[in-house]
Amino acid sequence: MKKIVVLLSGEGSNLQAVMDACRDGKIPARIAAVFSNRADAYGLQRAAQGSLPAHALNPGDYPHRAAFDQALMERIDEHRPDAVILAGYMRILSPAFVSHYAGRLLNIHPSLLPRYPGLHTHRQVLANGDDEHGTSVHFVTEELDGGPVILQAKVPVFPDDNEAELVARVKTQEHAIYPLAIRWLLQGRLELRGGMARLDGLPLPPAGYAAE
């Protein structure tokens, strides 16, 4: 069976979605390990409750980002993963890390990329008066939140929305589309080739897959 390693920094709701999808057979793989850069991340508790190996590495124990990422790579590689999944991992990855897992490294970002890369996306959407928001699954490249988009899901933004309501609406979609993209990757249907995301050998458009 194929293996997934998950990286997270926070509550791990997308980890839970992936755990559930693996359990239900929607993702043809098992989660081999979960790593966090924060020992207090609730996602580590989710992993432990699911009987998954859960590990915290403290960036402060390393002299610089590259050294931390090298140590993390070594720990990840012990599990020989077929995919490395970022689930709210709040660190910028070094070029060496990204290169090492190129084509196997996915992220989900809470905006309709290329709009609102980086942090505080929900806040920016509300401040700008946007009428739609959403989430994007993408391959990770050296450009922050700039890798080829695989799949997006849109949600409406209502005039009386607050940030918490918008977060909840977006997360519902995240939990639906992330397992789907991971399944495609592990089935060999999805690949990163020539700087493009390809599904079943065909290049995906800039906004990713769209059902006909």
Side-chain angles (χ1 to χ4, degrees), residues 3-131:
K3 294 181 286 187
I4 298 169
V5 167
V6 179
L7 308 185
L8 56 80
S9 299
E11 67 175 54
S13 69
N14 275 301
L15 166 66
Q16 187 67 57
V18 175
M19 290 169 61
D20 293 345
C22 289
R23 179 198 63 208
D24 297 341
K26 294 178 181 177
I27 295 177
R30 66 179 178 87
I31 298 174
V34 177
F35 290 92
S36 179
N37 61 307
R38 293 182 51 184
D40 62 348
Y42 182 66
L44 292 176
Q45 294 186 42
R46 289 184 191 268
Q49 290 164 6
S51 300
L52 300 177
H55 311 281
L57 277 72
N58 179 12
D61 293 339
Y62 300 87
H64 45 70
R65 182 182 305 278
F68 175 82
D69 278 7
Q70 180 62 39
L72 181 58
M73 281 192 290
E74 291 172 2
R75 296 289 301 277
I76 291 171
D77 285 350
E78 292 174 3
H79 300 279
R80 301 181 181 273
D82 298 281
V84 177
I85 304 303
L86 307 184
Y89 185 64
M90 305 302 290
R91 282 181 62 84
I92 296 174
L93 296 168
S94 64
F97 188 100
V98 172
S99 176
H100 187 66
Y101 297 109
R104 294 184 287 158
L105 187 58
L106 299 185
N107 184 44
I108 189 160
H109 181 73
S111 82
L112 297 172
L113 293 170
R115 283 186 274 176
Y116 307 122
L119 302 175
H120 309 304
T121 61
H122 313 294
R123 199 172 306 165
Q124 293 181 70
V125 165
L126 292 173
N128 291 334
D130 294 355
D131 59 8

Side-chain angles (χ1 to χ4, degrees), residues 117-195:
L119 302 175
H120 309 304
T121 61
H122 313 294
R123 199 172 306 165
Q124 293 181 70
V125 165
L126 292 173
N128 291 334
D130 294 355
D131 59 8
E132 72 174 7
H133 188 28
T135 184
S136 307
V137 182
H138 65 96
F139 279 109
V140 177
T141 63
E142 291 184 26
E143 181 183 356
L144 178 65
D145 298 327
V149 172
I150 299 160
L151 192 58
Q152 290 186 327
K154 297 179 179 179
V155 301
V157 182
F158 301 114
D160 59 348
D161 273 340
N162 60 40
E163 189 171 349
E165 290 168 334
L166 197 54
V167 168
R169 195 173 304 133
V170 169
K171 280 189 178 295
T172 297
Q173 296 301 318
E174 289 180 355
H175 301 162
I177 70 171
Y178 209 10
L180 177 58
I182 295 167
R183 183 175 77 192
W184 288 344
L185 181 67
L186 294 173
Q187 288 174 331
R189 296 182 59 195
L190 176 67
E191 62 178 336
L192 177 64
R193 180 156 49 93

